[in-house]
Amino acid sequence: MTLIYLILILLFISLCWFYLGNNSAKIIKTKSGRLHSLAHYYGLYVLLYSFLPSFFVFIIISVFDDLLFSFLINDYIPDNIKIEPDYNKTIILAQIQNLIDGINFGNPSDWIILASEKMQEWFKISTISNYCFSILVAIIGGYLGFKNIDQDFRSRNSVEKIVIFLLALSSVIAILTTIGIIFSVIFESLRFFAIIPASEFLFGLTWNPQFEGAERAGSGQEGLASYGSVPLFVGTLLISFIAICIAVPVGLYSAIYLSEYSSKKERSFFKPLLEILAGIPTVVYGFFAALTVAPMLRSGGSLLGLDVASESALAAGFVMGIMIIPFVSSLSDDVINAVPQSLRDAGYALGSTKNEVILKVILPAALPGIIGSIILAVSRAIGETMIVVMAAGLAANLSFNPLDAVTTVTAQIVTILVGDQEFESAKTLSAFALALTLIVITLILNFYALYIVKKYREQYE
Amino acid sequence: MEMNEDKKDFKTNTVGDIFSDNPKIVSRNVSVYYNDKKAISDVSLDIGSKEIISLIGPSGCGKSTFLRCFNRMNDTIDGCKVEGKIFLDNENIYDEMIDVVPLRAKVGMVFQKPNPFPKSIYDNVAYGPRIHGLVDNKKDMDNIVEMSLKNAGLWDEVKDRLDSPGTGLSGGQQQRLCIARAIAVSPEIILMDEPCSALDPIATAKIEELLQTLANDYSIVIVTHSMQQAARVSQRTAYFHLGELVEVGYTKHIFTNPTDIKTQNYITGRIG
Ligand SMILES: Nc1ncnc2c1ncn2[C@@H]1O[C@H](COP(=O)(O)OP(=O)(O)O)[C@@H](O)[C@H]1O
Ligand SMILES: [Mg+2]
């Protein structure tokens, strides 16, 4: 019996309560001719009274039984194992779980078999008690709600209160999740900074992470690994800068064309087309960059006598620029369209040409929104990973030359965390430090953008 | 035909005297279509030099449409077509050779809702002189801005904060700023489309007062939905009904002794 059935049962019970509540309200209405709220609010009220507490009980039991069992299982782990130096409870729990799932590597020790049997037994008990408690709560809760029903009871107000509570709960969950993510990144980063000093990470000029093992294998070449993140951030900035140099003019011009010059027909054709660009998966852009643009740049560069790396910042930045064009153009088009017609009229009535109206009236009025869309595009560019991995390479060169191969923060995070890894090593942990720095930079960028936009608003509203 | 065409030969359905002794604008048989819908038909009317003429009539009768013909603002509306002739100082403004840029410098416009640019007060007024290249140094520009604001009766209220945004002013001040912006390019005619309909009575009174002084220098065509306003400010009044110019004459005459039955009904409040 899995728990999914339990949820179905709980839903069924509360639906029954809905029916009962609804009906009894209708009966009261016909008898006394008066009812505070519409009948179905009484049904909903009883339904919520039945479902919410029972679902809560269900969640509590299913979450906390694991914790309880992993604590109880301590008694079944022999003491001599507990004092071994590389004793790791997570691994033992995984072994036990594997055994329960029927996955078996070699011959498990007797105590593990015993523990896993015990564990299975407990899980059975927990499942059964979960069923019993939840169903009981569903029935009792529904009954308590049902008892409240009479002709003066304000069920609509109560239901609204509960619904508002649920809405608030959802937004709290979203916020808590974000905070949780940030904190987990912070904690892992702190572990990294315990190994590598923050000053080296922030100001070091070479990035060359190595596993501990590799260092040892390198026979005495300790200090080979270095965690200076500057090349990565320079790479990120270089590629984002190239992308912005392409996306902002193209995006802005196409927005101006779309909103001021194109006919309705052209607009209804081009705008969706541009927005499709935003829907193409970035991995597709990635191979476009690696297979089409990079070779083109290479052969074009050799014609001019330039030495272009086969993976270059220019190729990645160029394609990334194309990718974020829709962000700039679509949003700018929206804000340009939002400039009131009355301002255009004022401009024309003073004898402005179309150009003057666009340059001196519309663009200044739309500027805050345009800046906002550019900032959004920048943060997309900074966070973009796939194109970089495929087109810019992984060589952490400290270079401002767009023709060189560079790498970015995100691309490094991916390479570090993909594949086999030692979780405790400085190399793995460095990914979190990179992520943290990236988060901080993006936050600062966003705050700055908001500040600029707000200043413009104050000036012009 | 030119403006000195024999007036007696000109036939029109309009009651009253469409002619002016000293015309600034002469319009003849003007019809305007939005796509295929006729908005005004066969309107002929003279606008005298330095007179204030008001256009009145129920909403949707084509007052704004007619007004927009004088500075060719109808050109900016998709599907709008103008027929007929409009002469400004003996020149047909719908002639192919006419450039709208100097035309609109000559014929200023003030809109129903105050629409200052989201720029400083100074830059609002300086906008027109700048795009027309009227001045080439800061001092002359300062002069133009000051004179325009003075003529619009706004200088004393804003002279200490010329750098603050024009959009931060009150509605009435904004509308006077728009008037200052229009007169900064030294137009000869000012068109006003219900300039007071978004304003409170005190701000309205100020603008009406201003109109009287402006009439010393400019010809003014004002659309208004308020008959009292038309009676207070204008020398002549033109009554529009369903796209036709029904009656035109001296304001006093129109409001006290209208000839056409439709005008009578409107004046006495039976059409609204
Ligand atoms: N931009 C436009 N597009 C299509 N029809 C319009 C437009 N502007 C005005 N009209 C129509 O032309 C007629 C006259 O309008 P308008 O000149 O604004 O009247 P008024 O200013 O007297 O209220 C109305 O029937 C209106 O629906
Ligand atoms: Mg109108």
Side-chain angles (χ1 to χ4, degrees), chain A residues 110-166:
Chain A
D110 287 344
W111 65 267
I112 288 206
I113 296 177
L114 184 67
S116 78
E117 276 164 6
K118 259 289 173 262
M119 196 72 137
Q120 254 172 313
E121 206 173 290
W122 291 340
F123 268 119
K124 227 174 252 161
I125 296 173
S126 121
T127 308
I128 291 172
S129 57
N130 201 346
Y131 267 82
C132 296
F133 275 117
S134 309
I135 291 175
L136 196 68
V137 170
I139 293 172
I140 294 177
Y143 175 72
L144 289 178
F146 187 76
K147 239 178 41 176
N148 278 337
I149 296 180
D150 68 45
Q151 63 197 33
D152 290 324
F153 179 65
R154 298 164 176 243
S155 64
R156 175 167 46 80
N157 312 37
S158 307
V159 168
E160 273 163 10
K161 251 184 226 154
I162 297 174
V163 169
I164 288 172
F165 171 75
L166 288 179

Short mmCIF file of all heavy atoms in Angstrom, two decimals, chain A residues 110-166:
data_model
loop_
_atom_site.label_atom_id
_atom_site.label_comp_id
_atom_site.label_asym_id
_atom_site.label_seq_id
_atom_site.Cartn_x
_atom_site.Cartn_y
_atom_site.Cartn_z
N ASP A 110 25.44 -9.38 8.49
CA ASP A 110 24.21 -9.83 9.17
C ASP A 110 23.47 -8.67 9.80
O ASP A 110 22.25 -8.57 9.74
CB ASP A 110 24.58 -10.84 10.26
CG ASP A 110 24.97 -12.15 9.62
OD1 ASP A 110 24.65 -12.31 8.40
OD2 ASP A 110 25.61 -12.98 10.28
N TRP A 111 24.26 -7.77 10.43
CA TRP A 111 23.57 -6.68 11.15
C TRP A 111 22.83 -5.76 10.19
O TRP A 111 21.79 -5.21 10.52
CB TRP A 111 24.55 -5.90 12.02
CG TRP A 111 25.63 -5.14 11.27
CD1 TRP A 111 26.87 -5.59 10.98
CD2 TRP A 111 25.51 -3.82 10.74
NE1 TRP A 111 27.56 -4.65 10.29
CE2 TRP A 111 26.75 -3.54 10.13
CE3 TRP A 111 24.50 -2.86 10.72
CZ2 TRP A 111 27.00 -2.34 9.50
CZ3 TRP A 111 24.77 -1.67 10.11
CH2 TRP A 111 26.00 -1.40 9.49
N ILE A 112 23.36 -5.64 8.95
CA ILE A 112 22.64 -4.81 7.99
C ILE A 112 21.33 -5.45 7.60
O ILE A 112 20.28 -4.80 7.50
CB ILE A 112 23.52 -4.57 6.75
CG1 ILE A 112 24.65 -3.62 7.12
CG2 ILE A 112 22.69 -4.01 5.60
CD1 ILE A 112 25.21 -2.82 6.00
N ILE A 113 21.38 -6.79 7.41
CA ILE A 113 20.14 -7.50 7.07
C ILE A 113 19.12 -7.32 8.18
O ILE A 113 17.95 -6.99 7.95
CB ILE A 113 20.43 -9.00 6.84
CG1 ILE A 113 21.34 -9.12 5.61
CG2 ILE A 113 19.15 -9.79 6.64
CD1 ILE A 113 21.76 -10.54 5.33
N LEU A 114 19.62 -7.48 9.42
CA LEU A 114 18.72 -7.33 10.57
C LEU A 114 18.12 -5.92 10.60
O LEU A 114 16.90 -5.75 10.74
CB LEU A 114 19.52 -7.58 11.86
CG LEU A 114 18.69 -7.55 13.14
CD1 LEU A 114 17.71 -8.71 13.16
CD2 LEU A 114 19.57 -7.54 14.37
N ALA A 115 19.01 -4.94 10.44
CA ALA A 115 18.55 -3.55 10.48
C ALA A 115 17.52 -3.29 9.40
O ALA A 115 16.50 -2.61 9.63
CB ALA A 115 19.73 -2.60 10.33
N SER A 116 17.77 -3.83 8.22
CA SER A 116 16.84 -3.55 7.13
C SER A 116 15.50 -4.22 7.39
O SER A 116 14.45 -3.67 7.05
CB SER A 116 17.42 -3.99 5.80
OG SER A 116 17.30 -5.38 5.65
N GLU A 117 15.52 -5.41 8.02
CA GLU A 117 14.23 -6.04 8.36
C GLU A 117 13.47 -5.18 9.35
O GLU A 117 12.26 -4.95 9.22
CB GLU A 117 14.48 -7.44 8.93
CG GLU A 117 14.64 -8.48 7.84
CD GLU A 117 15.26 -9.75 8.37
OE1 GLU A 117 15.47 -9.85 9.60
OE2 GLU A 117 15.55 -10.64 7.55
N LYS A 118 14.22 -4.73 10.37
CA LYS A 118 13.59 -3.87 11.38
C LYS A 118 12.97 -2.64 10.70
O LYS A 118 11.83 -2.27 10.95
CB LYS A 118 14.67 -3.40 12.38
CG LYS A 118 14.67 -4.16 13.69
CD LYS A 118 13.48 -3.80 14.51
CE LYS A 118 13.28 -4.60 15.76
NZ LYS A 118 12.35 -5.70 15.73
N MET A 119 13.79 -2.06 9.83
CA MET A 119 13.37 -0.84 9.13
C MET A 119 12.07 -1.08 8.38
O MET A 119 11.14 -0.29 8.45
CB MET A 119 14.49 -0.45 8.17
CG MET A 119 14.40 0.96 7.67
SD MET A 119 14.82 2.11 8.96
CE MET A 119 15.82 3.27 8.09
N GLN A 120 12.03 -2.20 7.67
CA GLN A 120 10.83 -2.52 6.90
C GLN A 120 9.61 -2.63 7.79
O GLN A 120 8.53 -2.15 7.48
CB GLN A 120 11.05 -3.83 6.15
CG GLN A 120 11.26 -3.60 4.66
CD GLN A 120 11.65 -4.86 3.96
OE1 GLN A 120 12.53 -5.58 4.44
NE2 GLN A 120 11.03 -5.14 2.85
N GLU A 121 9.83 -3.27 8.92
CA GLU A 121 8.76 -3.45 9.90
C GLU A 121 8.22 -2.08 10.35
O GLU A 121 7.03 -1.82 10.35
CB GLU A 121 9.35 -4.19 11.09
CG GLU A 121 8.36 -4.98 11.91
CD GLU A 121 9.15 -5.78 12.92
OE1 GLU A 121 9.86 -6.74 12.52
OE2 GLU A 121 9.10 -5.42 14.11
N TRP A 122 9.20 -1.20 10.69
CA TRP A 122 8.79 0.14 11.15
C TRP A 122 8.01 0.88 10.08
O TRP A 122 7.03 1.55 10.35
CB TRP A 122 10.04 0.96 11.53
CG TRP A 122 10.74 0.46 12.75
CD1 TRP A 122 10.22 -0.33 13.72
CD2 TRP A 122 12.09 0.70 13.08
NE1 TRP A 122 11.15 -0.61 14.66
CE2 TRP A 122 12.33 0.03 14.31
CE3 TRP A 122 13.13 1.42 12.51
CZ2 TRP A 122 13.56 0.06 14.93
CZ3 TRP A 122 14.34 1.46 13.15
CH2 TRP A 122 14.55 0.78 14.35
N PHE A 123 8.50 0.75 8.85
CA PHE A 123 7.81 1.47 7.78
C PHE A 123 6.37 0.99 7.63
O PHE A 123 5.47 1.76 7.36
CB PHE A 123 8.56 1.31 6.44
CG PHE A 123 9.55 2.41 6.21
CD1 PHE A 123 10.91 2.14 6.09
CD2 PHE A 123 9.14 3.74 6.12
CE1 PHE A 123 11.83 3.16 5.89
CE2 PHE A 123 10.05 4.76 5.93
CZ PHE A 123 11.41 4.47 5.82
N LYS A 124 6.20 -0.31 7.81
CA LYS A 124 4.85 -0.85 7.73
C LYS A 124 3.97 -0.21 8.81
O LYS A 124 2.87 0.28 8.55
CB LYS A 124 4.88 -2.37 7.91
CG LYS A 124 4.04 -3.09 6.85
CD LYS A 124 4.19 -4.60 6.96
CE LYS A 124 4.98 -5.17 5.81
NZ LYS A 124 5.52 -6.51 6.08
N ILE A 125 4.54 -0.20 10.05
CA ILE A 125 3.79 0.40 11.16
C ILE A 125 3.46 1.86 10.85
O ILE A 125 2.33 2.32 11.02
CB ILE A 125 4.60 0.32 12.47
CG1 ILE A 125 4.81 -1.14 12.85
CG2 ILE A 125 3.89 1.07 13.59
CD1 ILE A 125 5.74 -1.33 14.01
N SER A 126 4.47 2.54 10.35
CA SER A 126 4.25 3.98 10.10
C SER A 126 3.19 4.19 9.03
O SER A 126 2.33 5.06 9.15
CB SER A 126 5.57 4.64 9.73
OG SER A 126 5.50 5.24 8.47
N THR A 127 3.23 3.34 7.98
CA THR A 127 2.24 3.50 6.93
C THR A 127 0.84 3.26 7.47
O THR A 127 -0.09 4.04 7.23
CB THR A 127 2.52 2.52 5.78
OG1 THR A 127 3.87 2.68 5.39
CG2 THR A 127 1.60 2.78 4.61
N ILE A 128 0.71 2.19 8.25
CA ILE A 128 -0.61 1.87 8.79
C ILE A 128 -1.10 2.98 9.70
O ILE A 128 -2.24 3.45 9.60
CB ILE A 128 -0.57 0.52 9.54
CG1 ILE A 128 -0.35 -0.60 8.53
CG2 ILE A 128 -1.86 0.30 10.33
CD1 ILE A 128 -0.09 -1.94 9.17
N SER A 129 -0.18 3.46 10.58
CA SER A 129 -0.64 4.50 11.49
C SER A 129 -0.94 5.79 10.74
O SER A 129 -1.84 6.53 11.10
CB SER A 129 0.39 4.75 12.59
OG SER A 129 1.62 5.10 12.01
N ASN A 130 -0.17 6.00 9.67
CA ASN A 130 -0.45 7.17 8.84
C ASN A 130 -1.87 7.09 8.30
O ASN A 130 -2.65 8.04 8.41
CB ASN A 130 0.56 7.21 7.68
CG ASN A 130 0.69 8.60 7.09
OD1 ASN A 130 -0.13 9.46 7.36
ND2 ASN A 130 1.71 8.81 6.28
N TYR A 131 -2.21 5.93 7.75
CA TYR A 131 -3.58 5.73 7.25
C TYR A 131 -4.59 5.99 8.35
O TYR A 131 -5.55 6.75 8.20
CB TYR A 131 -3.74 4.30 6.73
CG TYR A 131 -3.47 4.18 5.25
CD1 TYR A 131 -2.18 4.07 4.77
CD2 TYR A 131 -4.52 4.16 4.33
CE1 TYR A 131 -1.91 3.96 3.42
CE2 TYR A 131 -4.27 4.07 2.97
CZ TYR A 131 -2.97 3.97 2.52
OH TYR A 131 -2.74 3.87 1.19
N CYS A 132 -4.38 5.32 9.52
CA CYS A 132 -5.39 5.41 10.57
C CYS A 132 -5.58 6.85 11.03
O CYS A 132 -6.68 7.38 11.06
CB CYS A 132 -4.97 4.56 11.78
SG CYS A 132 -4.92 2.83 11.37
N PHE A 133 -4.44 7.50 11.36
CA PHE A 133 -4.53 8.86 11.90
C PHE A 133 -5.16 9.83 10.91
O PHE A 133 -6.07 10.57 11.25
CB PHE A 133 -3.14 9.35 12.31
CG PHE A 133 -2.75 8.93 13.68
CD1 PHE A 133 -1.66 8.09 13.89
CD2 PHE A 133 -3.48 9.37 14.79
CE1 PHE A 133 -1.30 7.69 15.15
CE2 PHE A 133 -3.11 8.97 16.06
CZ PHE A 133 -2.02 8.12 16.24
N SER A 134 -4.64 9.80 9.67
CA SER A 134 -5.13 10.78 8.70
C SER A 134 -6.62 10.62 8.47
O SER A 134 -7.37 11.60 8.47
CB SER A 134 -4.40 10.62 7.37
OG SER A 134 -3.03 10.62 7.58
N ILE A 135 -7.04 9.37 8.29
CA ILE A 135 -8.46 9.15 8.02
C ILE A 135 -9.31 9.58 9.21
O ILE A 135 -10.34 10.24 9.06
CB ILE A 135 -8.70 7.67 7.65
CG1 ILE A 135 -8.06 7.40 6.28
CG2 ILE A 135 -10.18 7.35 7.62
CD1 ILE A 135 -8.11 5.97 5.85
N LEU A 136 -8.80 9.24 10.40
CA LEU A 136 -9.52 9.64 11.61
C LEU A 136 -9.66 11.16 11.67
O LEU A 136 -10.75 11.70 11.91
CB LEU A 136 -8.76 9.13 12.84
CG LEU A 136 -9.56 9.12 14.13
CD1 LEU A 136 -10.66 8.07 14.03
CD2 LEU A 136 -8.66 8.87 15.33
N VAL A 137 -8.54 11.84 11.43
CA VAL A 137 -8.57 13.30 11.48
C VAL A 137 -9.53 13.85 10.42
O VAL A 137 -10.28 14.80 10.67
CB VAL A 137 -7.15 13.88 11.31
CG1 VAL A 137 -7.21 15.38 11.11
CG2 VAL A 137 -6.30 13.55 12.51
N ALA A 138 -9.51 13.23 9.24
CA ALA A 138 -10.40 13.70 8.18
C ALA A 138 -11.85 13.60 8.61
O ALA A 138 -12.66 14.51 8.38
CB ALA A 138 -10.17 12.90 6.90
N ILE A 139 -12.19 12.49 9.27
CA ILE A 139 -13.58 12.29 9.68
C ILE A 139 -13.95 13.24 10.82
O ILE A 139 -14.97 13.94 10.77
CB ILE A 139 -13.81 10.82 10.09
CG1 ILE A 139 -13.66 9.94 8.84
CG2 ILE A 139 -15.18 10.64 10.72
CD1 ILE A 139 -13.68 8.47 9.14
N ILE A 140 -13.04 13.31 11.82
CA ILE A 140 -13.35 14.17 12.97
C ILE A 140 -13.42 15.64 12.55
O ILE A 140 -14.33 16.38 12.91
CB ILE A 140 -12.29 13.99 14.09
CG1 ILE A 140 -12.39 12.57 14.65
CG2 ILE A 140 -12.50 15.01 15.19
CD1 ILE A 140 -11.35 12.26 15.70
N GLY A 141 -12.41 16.05 11.75
CA GLY A 141 -12.37 17.44 11.29
C GLY A 141 -13.65 17.80 10.57
O GLY A 141 -14.27 18.83 10.83
N GLY A 142 -14.04 16.93 9.65
CA GLY A 142 -15.26 17.18 8.89
C GLY A 142 -16.46 17.29 9.82
O GLY A 142 -17.30 18.18 9.67
N TYR A 143 -16.47 16.42 10.83
CA TYR A 143 -17.61 16.44 11.75
C TYR A 143 -17.67 17.76 12.52
O TYR A 143 -18.72 18.37 12.66
CB TYR A 143 -17.52 15.26 12.73
CG TYR A 143 -18.60 15.30 13.77
CD1 TYR A 143 -19.93 15.02 13.41
CD2 TYR A 143 -18.32 15.64 15.09
CE1 TYR A 143 -20.94 15.09 14.35
CE2 TYR A 143 -19.32 15.72 16.03
CZ TYR A 143 -20.64 15.44 15.66
OH TYR A 143 -21.63 15.53 16.59
N LEU A 144 -16.46 18.20 12.98
CA LEU A 144 -16.42 19.47 13.73
C LEU A 144 -16.93 20.61 12.86
O LEU A 144 -17.66 21.49 13.33
CB LEU A 144 -14.99 19.75 14.19
CG LEU A 144 -14.48 18.83 15.30
CD1 LEU A 144 -13.04 19.17 15.65
CD2 LEU A 144 -15.38 18.94 16.54
N GLY A 145 -16.52 20.60 11.60
CA GLY A 145 -16.99 21.65 10.70
C GLY A 145 -18.48 21.55 10.49
O GLY A 145 -19.21 22.54 10.51
N PHE A 146 -18.93 20.32 10.29
CA PHE A 146 -20.33 20.07 10.00
C PHE A 146 -21.22 20.56 11.14
O PHE A 146 -22.31 21.10 10.92
CB PHE A 146 -20.52 18.56 9.78
CG PHE A 146 -21.89 18.19 9.32
CD1 PHE A 146 -22.27 18.42 7.99
CD2 PHE A 146 -22.80 17.61 10.19
CE1 PHE A 146 -23.53 18.09 7.57
CE2 PHE A 146 -24.06 17.29 9.76
CZ PHE A 146 -24.43 17.52 8.45
N LYS A 147 -20.73 20.36 12.38
CA LYS A 147 -21.50 20.76 13.56
C LYS A 147 -21.78 22.26 13.59
O LYS A 147 -22.76 22.71 14.16
CB LYS A 147 -20.74 20.35 14.83
CG LYS A 147 -21.53 19.42 15.72
CD LYS A 147 -20.74 19.01 16.94
CE LYS A 147 -19.96 20.16 17.53
NZ LYS A 147 -19.25 19.81 18.77
N ASN A 148 -20.84 23.02 12.97
CA ASN A 148 -20.98 24.49 13.01
C ASN A 148 -22.13 25.01 12.15
O ASN A 148 -22.52 26.16 12.27
CB ASN A 148 -19.69 25.14 12.51
CG ASN A 148 -18.65 25.21 13.61
OD1 ASN A 148 -19.00 25.17 14.78
ND2 ASN A 148 -17.39 25.27 13.23
N ILE A 149 -22.60 24.16 11.24
CA ILE A 149 -23.57 24.66 10.27
C ILE A 149 -24.89 25.00 10.94
O ILE A 149 -25.47 24.17 11.63
CB ILE A 149 -23.83 23.62 9.16
CG1 ILE A 149 -22.54 23.38 8.38
CG2 ILE A 149 -24.94 24.08 8.23
CD1 ILE A 149 -22.69 22.37 7.27
N ASP A 150 -25.31 26.26 10.81
CA ASP A 150 -26.71 26.59 11.06
C ASP A 150 -27.04 27.79 10.21
O ASP A 150 -26.19 28.32 9.49
CB ASP A 150 -26.99 26.80 12.55
CG ASP A 150 -26.31 28.05 13.09
OD1 ASP A 150 -26.38 29.08 12.41
OD2 ASP A 150 -25.70 27.98 14.17
N GLN A 151 -28.25 28.30 10.29
CA GLN A 151 -28.67 29.29 9.31
C GLN A 151 -27.92 30.62 9.44
O GLN A 151 -27.80 31.36 8.49
CB GLN A 151 -30.17 29.54 9.45
CG GLN A 151 -30.54 30.12 10.80
CD GLN A 151 -32.00 29.98 11.08
OE1 GLN A 151 -32.61 29.02 10.64
NE2 GLN A 151 -32.58 30.94 11.80
N ASP A 152 -27.36 30.90 10.65
CA ASP A 152 -26.67 32.17 10.82
C ASP A 152 -25.17 32.07 10.64
O ASP A 152 -24.46 33.06 10.65
CB ASP A 152 -26.94 32.73 12.23
CG ASP A 152 -28.39 33.16 12.35
OD1 ASP A 152 -28.90 33.67 11.33
OD2 ASP A 152 -28.98 32.96 13.42
N PHE A 153 -24.69 30.83 10.47
CA PHE A 153 -23.24 30.66 10.39
C PHE A 153 -22.70 31.29 9.11
O PHE A 153 -23.20 31.05 8.02
CB PHE A 153 -22.88 29.18 10.45
CG PHE A 153 -21.41 28.96 10.35
CD1 PHE A 153 -20.56 29.41 11.35
CD2 PHE A 153 -20.86 28.33 9.25
CE1 PHE A 153 -19.19 29.23 11.25
CE2 PHE A 153 -19.49 28.16 9.14
CZ PHE A 153 -18.67 28.60 10.14
N ARG A 154 -21.62 32.13 9.23
CA ARG A 154 -21.09 32.85 8.07
C ARG A 154 -20.03 32.01 7.37
O ARG A 154 -18.83 32.26 7.48
CB ARG A 154 -20.46 34.17 8.52
CG ARG A 154 -21.46 35.08 9.16
CD ARG A 154 -20.79 36.18 9.95
NE ARG A 154 -21.83 37.07 10.45
CZ ARG A 154 -21.93 38.33 10.09
NH1 ARG A 154 -21.06 38.86 9.26
NH2 ARG A 154 -22.91 39.07 10.56
N SER A 155 -20.51 31.03 6.63
CA SER A 155 -19.54 30.10 6.04
C SER A 155 -18.72 30.77 4.95
O SER A 155 -17.55 30.48 4.77
CB SER A 155 -20.26 28.89 5.48
OG SER A 155 -21.11 29.29 4.43
N ARG A 156 -19.34 31.72 4.20
CA ARG A 156 -18.58 32.36 3.11
C ARG A 156 -17.37 33.09 3.67
O ARG A 156 -16.25 32.92 3.18
CB ARG A 156 -19.48 33.33 2.35
CG ARG A 156 -18.75 34.12 1.29
CD ARG A 156 -19.72 34.82 0.36
NE ARG A 156 -20.79 35.51 1.07
CZ ARG A 156 -20.64 36.70 1.64
NH1 ARG A 156 -19.48 37.33 1.58
NH2 ARG A 156 -21.64 37.26 2.28
N ASN A 157 -17.59 33.84 4.77
CA ASN A 157 -16.48 34.58 5.35
C ASN A 157 -15.38 33.64 5.84
O ASN A 157 -14.20 33.90 5.65
CB ASN A 157 -16.99 35.43 6.52
CG ASN A 157 -18.22 36.21 6.14
OD1 ASN A 157 -19.07 35.71 5.39
ND2 ASN A 157 -18.33 37.42 6.63
N SER A 158 -15.80 32.52 6.46
CA SER A 158 -14.80 31.59 6.95
C SER A 158 -14.02 30.98 5.80
O SER A 158 -12.79 30.89 5.86
CB SER A 158 -15.47 30.47 7.75
OG SER A 158 -16.29 31.02 8.73
N VAL A 159 -14.73 30.56 4.74
CA VAL A 159 -14.04 29.96 3.61
C VAL A 159 -13.05 30.97 3.02
O VAL A 159 -11.90 30.65 2.72
CB VAL A 159 -15.05 29.51 2.53
CG1 VAL A 159 -14.33 29.17 1.24
CG2 VAL A 159 -15.83 28.31 3.03
N GLU A 160 -13.50 32.23 2.89
CA GLU A 160 -12.60 33.24 2.34
C GLU A 160 -11.35 33.39 3.20
O GLU A 160 -10.24 33.50 2.69
CB GLU A 160 -13.32 34.58 2.22
CG GLU A 160 -14.05 34.69 0.89
CD GLU A 160 -15.11 35.78 0.88
OE1 GLU A 160 -15.14 36.58 1.83
OE2 GLU A 160 -15.89 35.81 -0.08
N LYS A 161 -11.55 33.35 4.53
CA LYS A 161 -10.40 33.49 5.42
C LYS A 161 -9.41 32.35 5.19
O LYS A 161 -8.20 32.55 5.10
CB LYS A 161 -10.88 33.49 6.88
CG LYS A 161 -10.73 34.87 7.51
CD LYS A 161 -11.12 34.81 8.96
CE LYS A 161 -12.03 35.98 9.29
NZ LYS A 161 -12.92 35.72 10.41
N ILE A 162 -9.98 31.12 5.11
CA ILE A 162 -9.09 29.97 4.92
C ILE A 162 -8.35 30.08 3.59
O ILE A 162 -7.15 29.82 3.50
CB ILE A 162 -9.90 28.65 4.98
CG1 ILE A 162 -10.53 28.50 6.37
CG2 ILE A 162 -9.01 27.47 4.67
CD1 ILE A 162 -11.47 27.33 6.49
N VAL A 163 -9.08 30.50 2.55
CA VAL A 163 -8.45 30.60 1.23
C VAL A 163 -7.33 31.65 1.24
O VAL A 163 -6.23 31.42 0.72
CB VAL A 163 -9.49 30.94 0.15
CG1 VAL A 163 -8.82 31.31 -1.15
CG2 VAL A 163 -10.41 29.75 -0.07
N ILE A 164 -7.60 32.78 1.91
CA ILE A 164 -6.56 33.81 2.00
C ILE A 164 -5.33 33.25 2.70
O ILE A 164 -4.19 33.46 2.28
CB ILE A 164 -7.08 35.04 2.75
CG1 ILE A 164 -8.08 35.79 1.86
CG2 ILE A 164 -5.95 35.97 3.15
CD1 ILE A 164 -8.79 36.91 2.56
N PHE A 165 -5.59 32.46 3.76
CA PHE A 165 -4.48 31.86 4.48
C PHE A 165 -3.67 30.96 3.55
O PHE A 165 -2.44 30.99 3.55
CB PHE A 165 -5.03 31.06 5.67
CG PHE A 165 -3.99 30.22 6.35
CD1 PHE A 165 -3.05 30.81 7.18
CD2 PHE A 165 -3.93 28.85 6.14
CE1 PHE A 165 -2.07 30.04 7.79
CE2 PHE A 165 -2.97 28.07 6.76
CZ PHE A 165 -2.03 28.67 7.59
N LEU A 166 -4.39 30.15 2.74
CA LEU A 166 -3.67 29.25 1.83
C LEU A 166 -2.85 30.04 0.82
O LEU A 166 -1.71 29.67 0.50
CB LEU A 166 -4.67 28.34 1.10
CG LEU A 166 -5.30 27.26 1.97
CD1 LEU A 166 -6.29 26.44 1.15
CD2 LEU A 166 -4.25 26.36 2.57
#
